Amino acid sequence: MEIGQLLSSRTRYMSASEIRELLRWATVDVISFGGGMPDPSTFPVEDIAKIVSYVLEAYPHKALQYGPTEGIYELRQEIAKFSETRGIKAQAENIIITVGSQEALELLGRVFINPGDVVITENPTYLAALQAWRVYEPRLVGIPMDENGMAVEILEERVKQLKAEGARIKFIYTIPTAQNPTGLTMSQDRRKYLLEVAERYDLLVVEDDPYSYFLFEPIQVSPIKALDKTDRVIYLSTASKIFAPGLRLGWVIASEEVVRWFNLAKQSLNLNTSNLVQYIFLEGLRRNVVLKNLPNVRDLYKRKRDAMLAALETYMPHGVSWTRPSGGMFIWVTAPPQIDTKELLKVAVTQYKVAFVPGHGFFVDQSVRNAMRLNFTYPTFEQINEGIRRLALALRGA
Amino acid sequence: MEIGQLLSSRTRYMSASEIRELLRWATVDVISFGGGMPDPSTFPVEDIAKIVSYVLEAYPHKALQYGPTEGIYELRQEIAKFSETRGIKAQAENIIITVGSQEALELLGRVFINPGDVVITENPTYLAALQAWRVYEPRLVGIPMDENGMAVEILEERVKQLKAEGARIKFIYTIPTAQNPTGLTMSQDRRKYLLEVAERYDLLVVEDDPYSYFLFEPIQVSPIKALDKTDRVIYLSTASKIFAPGLRLGWVIASEEVVRWFNLAKQSLNLNTSNLVQYIFLEGLRRNVVLKNLPNVRDLYKRKRDAMLAALETYMPHGVSWTRPSGGMFIWVTAPPQIDTKELLKVAVTQYKVAFVPGHGFFVDQSVRNAMRLNFTYPTFEQINEGIRRLALALRGA
C-alpha cells in the first residue's frame, strides 16, 4: 500500500533529528559527543528503588491508575516548593506536569503558533525546540549571542522592527542559563533588560531551564521567572538532568490561564503523564534526593568540562575556537570557515570513530555551517581525551 | 497579560473532555459511571513491585536513561510475540511504543490529516479519538452500527460516494471488539468485508483494540490486523487495561513505513516513552503477568457487567434501552428521545449523586442527544446497584 500520497502536508517538516540518529551510534566503537545524556553513574538508583517500593506499598492504586491531565496535585505542590528555593513564587495551580520538557515545547507550538507567527530565539538555540515548532510553520527570528547570552539590545531593535511591520510575535524563547548548545549564561542585567523589553512590547517569554542546577562558576543569576511580576514568563524545567531522564518528566510554571490551555492541549496528546513516574519524582523531592545529589553531580560535570577544555587546548589545530561553558552539558566548537561540519561528521565517524552534532540545525536559518556541539557529561574522562584527540585529527585532515 | 489574543486558531477545537471533567467527581460522594478506569484491585501490584526491583538491579542505567523514540527493541520484540498469540504477524520493526494509545491517536492525526480530509468512523465512536483529530480539521464521516458492529454495507456505499465526490479518505477508524462506547463487537464476516472494502478502494484501516482481552462471550473473532495481507491495517493497543494505566504505555503495529513516520512525529512530542515504564512492561510480558491475570480480571468484569445489566433491568423505567456488551468496559444507554443527557447529567450529579458521560460527544456530528455511556469496571458492585437506582430516579424525574 502506497503511504506517501496519504501523508499530511506537515510531514514535510518532520525530519530525523541528527541528535537522535547519533544516539544510535553511541553503542558501537565510536566515541560520541552527540546526544545530551547525563552520566548514568549520577542516577540515584538505590534511592529510586527504595522510593518505588514505598510508592507501591503506600498508594499502589493511585500510582498505577489514570490521573488528572495537569498532573498529581501533591507533585505540583512539591515542585512549587522546590522552585521557591530559586526565587520562583508559584502555586500548584500554576504548574502542569509534562512528558519531559519536550512535551512542553510541543504544547507551546500547539497552543500559540499559527503559520507566519513570529517566534524569537537565541541563535543558535536548542535544535529540538526548532524541530517541535516547525510543523506549526512559525517565522523564526534568531538573535545573536555573546559571552553574556542573548544580545538583548539587538532583540529590542528586532522587536521594534517586527512590530512596525505588523508581525504577530508569539513569544521570545530563551535558555538563559548554561544554554544549549553554547553553554553560555545570560547576565543578570540582561535578564532584567529582556523582561523590560517583553513588558514594553507586551510579549510572552519562554524560559527553558534544564541546566541551572549545573552552574560550575559562582555566577549570580536568578531565573527570569523569579523577576516576573506580570505573569508573562512561561518557565520550563525537567527531572531529566537532576534525577533521571528515563522517567520522562518535566513541568511548566506559568499563569493559570496558560496552564489551562496546556491542560486542554495535553488531553489529546496522552491524557496524562505516567502516575507511577510522577509519584517517584514526588518522593524524590520529598526525600531531598535531588538536592542531596546535586553537589556531587555538579562536581563531576565540572571536572568533565575541564577535561574537555584541556583536551581541546592540547589537541586542536590553529583556527578552531570554542566556548568556555559556565555550566550545563555542552561545549560549542567553531571550526575554520571552510569546514562544513556535516561533511566532517561523516569522515569523523567512519574514519576517526568520533561523533558530534553539526551546528547547522541549531540556527534558525541553518546559516552557520562550521560549528558543532560537543557533549561532555556522558562520555568517560578517558573517552573525552581520546575523542577530542580523534576529532582534532579529523579536523586536521579536513 | 492578555493570553486570548495570542492563542493559535486551533485552540478553538480544544475543549475540556467531559470524561476528564468527570474523573474529578469520582473522589466525592457521587457514584461515577464516567471515566473508563480499570478496577484498581486488578493491578498486579506485587508483580510490579518485584519487577521494578529487578529492573533497577539488572539494568538501572538503561531504565533511567533516554532511549530510542520508537521504544526499547526487546519490548518491541516481546510485543510482537505477544501479538502472535492473537494471530498478528509482526516484527519488532513494525512496532512503535507510545504514551498510551492516546498518543497513537495524536500521531494518526499529525501524520495523515490535512484540513478537509475524510476520516471514517463508527458512529458513535471513541470521544477522545474525535477530540484528538479535531485540531487537524478532518471531515468526519460516521457509519451507523448494529449488534454486529459497523454496518459495513453502508460503509461501502459511503466510500463509493465519497470517492465519486473526489474526497480524500485518509483512513477508516474502528474499534471492532467490545467497542467504546457501545460494547458491541463486529462479526468475523464483517471484519473480512471491511478489509475487502479497504482493499478495493485502497484505504488504510485503523484498528483500535484495547478491549479484546475482555470478551465475556465465546465470540470467535480475530483482529482485523491478523487478516491483513496488504499492510493496510494500523493496529493500536495498550497496557492500560491488561496491566495498569498508570504506566501510560501503548503501542502501534503497522508497516515499517508508517512506523518510521510515527517515529519522526513522536520525536517532537516527547522524544521517547519512559524507559523505566517500558522495562516494567517488558518484564511483565516476559514473566507472563498479563496472561496469568487476565482470566480473573475478565471474570470480575463479566460479573460487574452482569450486575449493571441486572440493575438496569430492575430499575429503569419504560422507554430506556441499552446494549448488552459482549465485553469491554461500557454499557450504552438510550433514554427516551425527549431527554437531553447533558441536561440530565447536571441534575443527576447535583440531586441524585450519580454521573455518566453524555452520548453527544461520541457522535461525529453530536446528532444524538438522548444517549449516555456507563462504565461498569471501576465502581464496586454496591455502587453499580445503587448508582443505577439513582440514575433511574433521575430519568423518572426528567
Side-chain angles (χ1 to χ4, degrees):
Chain A
M1 144 139 238
E2 176 72 72
I3 293 297
Q5 66 192 19
L6 292 172
L7 296 172
S8 72
S9 55
R10 79 188 63 77
T11 55
R12 70 174 177 272
Y13 300 110
M14 298 176 190
S15 55
S17 150
E18 281 144 303
I19 299 184
R20 305 295 292 170
E21 292 300 311
L22 275 167
L23 273 174
R24 296 170 196 270
W25 302 343
T27 52
V28 299
D29 66 331
V30 169
I31 294 176
S32 177
F33 301 135
M37 293 194 286
D39 186 323
S41 76
T42 66
F43 300 154
V45 179
E46 282 170 41
D47 286 314
I48 292 179
K50 276 184 210 151
I51 284 171
V52 182
S53 295
Y54 169 76
V55 164
L56 290 176
E57 185 94 21
Y59 23 75
H61 292 177
K62 285 183 182 173
L64 298 174
Q65 189 57 282
Y66 289 108
T69 301
E70 63 275 16
I72 292 165
Y73 194 77
E74 296 93 311
L75 175 58
R76 296 160 72 211
Q77 282 181 310
E78 207 61 43
I79 287 175
K81 255 197 262 173
F82 182 69
S83 310
E84 230 179 83
T85 63
R86 312 219 48 245
I88 296 173
K89 284 196 183 63
Q91 307 293 320
E93 287 69 18
N94 298 114
I95 294 171
I96 178 168
I97 308 299
T98 54
V99 181
S101 265
Q102 187 66 40
E103 188 186 22
L105 296 171
E106 159 63 21
L107 290 171
L108 283 163
R110 178 167 279 242
V111 167
F112 291 113
I113 304 175
N114 278 331
D117 285 353
V118 170
V119 170
I120 301 176
T121 72
E122 284 140 1
N123 206 24
T125 188
Y126 181 42
L127 186 151
L130 298 179
Q131 234 162 4
W133 298 329
R134 280 218 166 88
V135 294
Y136 298 111
E137 305 183 60
R139 175 179 163 201
L140 297 166
V141 173
I143 306 295
M145 302 176 71
D146 60 29
E147 17 350 307
N148 288 312
M150 187 194 283
V152 185
E153 284 175 28
I154 299 178
L155 168 72
E156 183 166 23
E157 276 311 303
R158 292 293 279 135
V159 167
K160 210 181 290 181
Q161 269 174 29
L162 287 162
K163 284 280 184 179
E165 287 170 24
R168 297 179 310 276
I169 305 175
K170 286 305 173 78
F171 53 83
I172 303 166
Y173 173 73
T174 176
I175 310 166
T177 308
Q179 199 235 17
N180 183 354
T182 61
L184 300 171
T185 292
M186 191 186 290
S187 65
Q188 186 72 359
D189 282 352
R190 287 228 179 136
R191 289 171 194 235
K192 287 181 188 158
Y193 187 6
L194 185 146
L195 203 52
E196 276 166 34
V197 172
E199 280 165 11
R200 194 141 54 233
Y201 295 92
D202 199 23
L203 302 173
L204 280 176
V205 175
V206 176
E207 177 177 26
D208 193 353
D209 189 27
Y211 307 117
S212 69
Y213 287 94
F214 302 108
L215 266 180
F216 312 138
E217 312 293 338
I219 300 174
Q220 292 304 321
V221 287
S222 58
I224 301 174
K225 183 68 184 162
L227 309 170
D228 177 27
K229 303 259 182 276
T230 51
D231 246 4
R232 65 181 65 251
V233 178
I234 300 176
Y235 176 90
L236 323 182
S237 197
T238 172
S240 294
K241 276 76 183 183
I242 56 176
F243 199 72
L247 299 190
R248 308 306 301 119
L249 188 145
W251 62 88
V252 177
I253 307 180
S255 70
E256 287 189 43
E257 192 178 358
V258 168
V259 167
R260 211 153 40 231
W261 280 108
F262 280 16
N263 188 347
L264 283 178
K266 180 175 166 66
Q267 279 183 17
S268 290
L269 293 178
N270 50 50
L271 299 183
N272 64 269
T273 304
S274 163
N275 267 17
L276 178 61
V277 152
Q278 289 187 68
Y279 275 107
I280 293 172
F281 190 56
L282 170 62
E283 280 301 318
L285 289 174
R286 281 185 176 160
R287 296 174 185 208
N288 204 32
V289 173
V290 171
L291 294 180
K292 190 182 71 191
N293 283 343
L294 266 176
N296 288 334
V297 183
R298 189 161 38 218
D299 177 61
L300 174 68
Y301 288 172
K302 180 177 196 291
R303 287 185 292 120
K304 285 193 167 187
R305 176 203 65 174
D306 291 343
M308 189 173 271
L309 287 172
L312 287 164
E313 203 63 62
T314 306
Y315 298 116
M316 279 297 153
H318 185 74
V320 179
S321 62
W322 51 89
T323 57
R324 186 175 192 285
S326 49
M329 306 176 89
F330 307 107
I331 295 177
W332 182 248
V333 174
T334 305
Q338 74 277 12
I339 289 180
D340 184 315
T341 50
K342 271 195 188 173
E343 295 303 315
L344 180 71
L345 179 63
K346 293 176 201 160
V347 186
V349 169
T350 53
Q351 287 180 36
Y352 298 91
K353 305 290 179 193
V354 61
F356 54 84
V357 187
H360 309 51
F362 296 90
F363 291 92
V364 297
D365 47 8
Q366 311 240 341
S367 56
V368 175
R369 312 171 76 82
N370 60 326
M372 63 182 106
R373 193 193 72 175
L374 306 183
N375 168 263
F376 55 79
T377 57
Y378 185 73
T380 62
F381 286 94
E382 211 179 343
Q383 287 172 325
I384 287 172
N385 187 68
E386 173 60 15
I388 294 295
R389 196 187 66 82
R390 293 182 190 178
L391 184 57
L393 285 177
L395 276 161
R396 281 178 206 277
Chain B
M1 142 141 239
E2 176 73 72
I3 293 297
Q5 65 191 17
L6 292 173
L7 297 171
S8 73
S9 54
R10 79 187 64 77
T11 55
R12 70 174 176 272
Y13 300 109
M14 298 177 190
S15 55
S17 151
E18 280 145 303
I19 299 183
R20 305 297 290 171
E21 292 300 310
L22 276 167
L23 274 174
R24 295 170 196 270
W25 302 345
T27 51
V28 299
D29 66 332
V30 168
I31 294 177
S32 177
F33 301 135
M37 294 194 286
D39 186 324
S41 76
T42 66
F43 300 154
V45 179
E46 281 170 41
D47 286 314
I48 292 178
K50 276 183 210 150
I51 284 172
V52 181
S53 294
Y54 169 77
V55 164
L56 290 176
E57 183 94 26
Y59 25 75
H61 292 179
K62 284 183 183 173
L64 298 174
Q65 190 55 282
Y66 288 107
T69 301
E70 64 275 16
I72 292 165
Y73 194 77
E74 297 93 311
L75 175 59
R76 297 159 72 212
Q77 282 181 310
E78 206 63 40
I79 287 175
K81 255 197 263 176
F82 182 68
S83 311
E84 231 180 81
T85 62
R86 313 219 47 244
I88 296 173
K89 284 196 182 65
Q91 307 293 320
E93 286 71 17
N94 298 114
I95 294 171
I96 178 167
I97 308 299
T98 53
V99 180
S101 266
Q102 186 65 40
E103 188 186 20
L105 296 171
E106 159 62 21
L107 291 171
L108 283 163
R110 180 168 277 244
V111 166
F112 290 114
I113 304 175
N114 278 331
D117 285 354
V118 170
V119 170
I120 301 176
T121 72
E122 286 140 359
N123 206 26
T125 187
Y126 181 42
L127 185 152
L130 298 180
Q131 233 163 4
W133 299 330
R134 281 219 166 90
V135 293
Y136 297 112
E137 304 184 60
R139 176 180 163 198
L140 297 166
V141 173
I143 307 295
M145 304 176 70
D146 61 28
E147 15 354 305
N148 288 312
M150 187 194 282
V152 186
E153 284 176 26
I154 298 177
L155 167 72
E156 183 164 24
E157 277 311 303
R158 292 293 279 137
V159 167
K160 211 183 287 181
Q161 270 174 28
L162 287 162
K163 284 280 184 181
E165 288 170 23
R168 298 178 311 275
I169 305 175
K170 285 304 173 78
F171 53 83
I172 303 166
Y173 174 72
T174 176
I175 310 165
T177 307
Q179 198 235 16
N180 183 355
T182 62
L184 300 170
T185 292
M186 192 186 289
S187 66
Q188 186 72 1
D189 281 353
R190 287 227 179 136
R191 289 170 195 238
K192 287 181 187 156
Y193 187 7
L194 186 147
L195 203 53
E196 277 167 34
V197 173
E199 279 166 11
R200 193 140 56 233
Y201 295 93
D202 198 23
L203 302 173
L204 280 176
V205 175
V206 175
E207 177 179 25
D208 193 353
D209 189 27
Y211 307 117
S212 69
Y213 287 94
F214 300 109
L215 266 180
F216 311 137
E217 312 292 339
I219 300 174
Q220 292 303 321
V221 287
S222 58
I224 301 174
K225 183 68 185 164
L227 309 170
D228 176 27
K229 304 258 184 276
T230 50
D231 246 3
R232 67 181 63 251
V233 178
I234 300 176
Y235 176 91
L236 322 183
S237 197
T238 172
S240 294
K241 276 77 183 183
I242 56 176
F243 199 71
L247 299 189
R248 307 308 300 120
L249 188 145
W251 61 89
V252 176
I253 308 181
S255 69
E256 287 189 43
E257 194 178 357
V258 168
V259 167
R260 211 153 40 231
W261 281 109
F262 280 16
N263 188 348
L264 283 178
K266 180 175 165 67
Q267 279 182 18
S268 291
L269 293 178
N270 50 50
L271 300 181
N272 64 269
T273 305
S274 162
N275 267 17
L276 178 62
V277 152
Q278 289 188 68
Y279 275 107
I280 293 172
F281 191 56
L282 169 61
E283 280 302 317
L285 290 174
R286 281 184 175 160
R287 296 173 187 209
N288 205 33
V289 173
V290 171
L291 294 180
K292 190 182 70 191
N293 283 343
L294 266 178
N296 288 334
V297 184
R298 189 160 40 218
D299 178 61
L300 174 68
Y301 288 173
K302 182 178 195 291
R303 287 185 292 121
K304 286 194 166 186
R305 175 203 65 172
D306 291 343
M308 189 173 271
L309 287 172
L312 287 164
E313 204 61 63
T314 306
Y315 298 115
M316 279 297 153
H318 185 72
V320 178
S321 62
W322 52 89
T323 56
R324 188 177 191 285
S326 50
M329 306 176 90
F330 307 106
I331 295 177
W332 182 246
V333 173
T334 305
Q338 73 277 11
I339 288 178
D340 184 315
T341 50
K342 271 196 187 171
E343 295 304 315
L344 180 72
L345 179 63
K346 292 175 202 161
V347 185
V349 168
T350 52
Q351 287 181 37
Y352 297 91
K353 305 290 178 192
V354 61
F356 54 83
V357 187
H360 309 50
F362 296 91
F363 291 92
V364 298
D365 46 8
Q366 310 241 341
S367 56
V368 175
R369 312 171 76 82
N370 59 327
M372 63 182 105
R373 192 191 73 174
L374 306 183
N375 167 262
F376 55 78
T377 57
Y378 185 73
T380 62
F381 286 93
E382 211 179 343
Q383 288 173 324
I384 287 172
N385 187 69
E386 173 59 17
I388 295 296
R389 195 186 67 79
R390 294 182 189 178
L391 184 57
L393 286 177
L395 276 161
R396 280 179 206 275

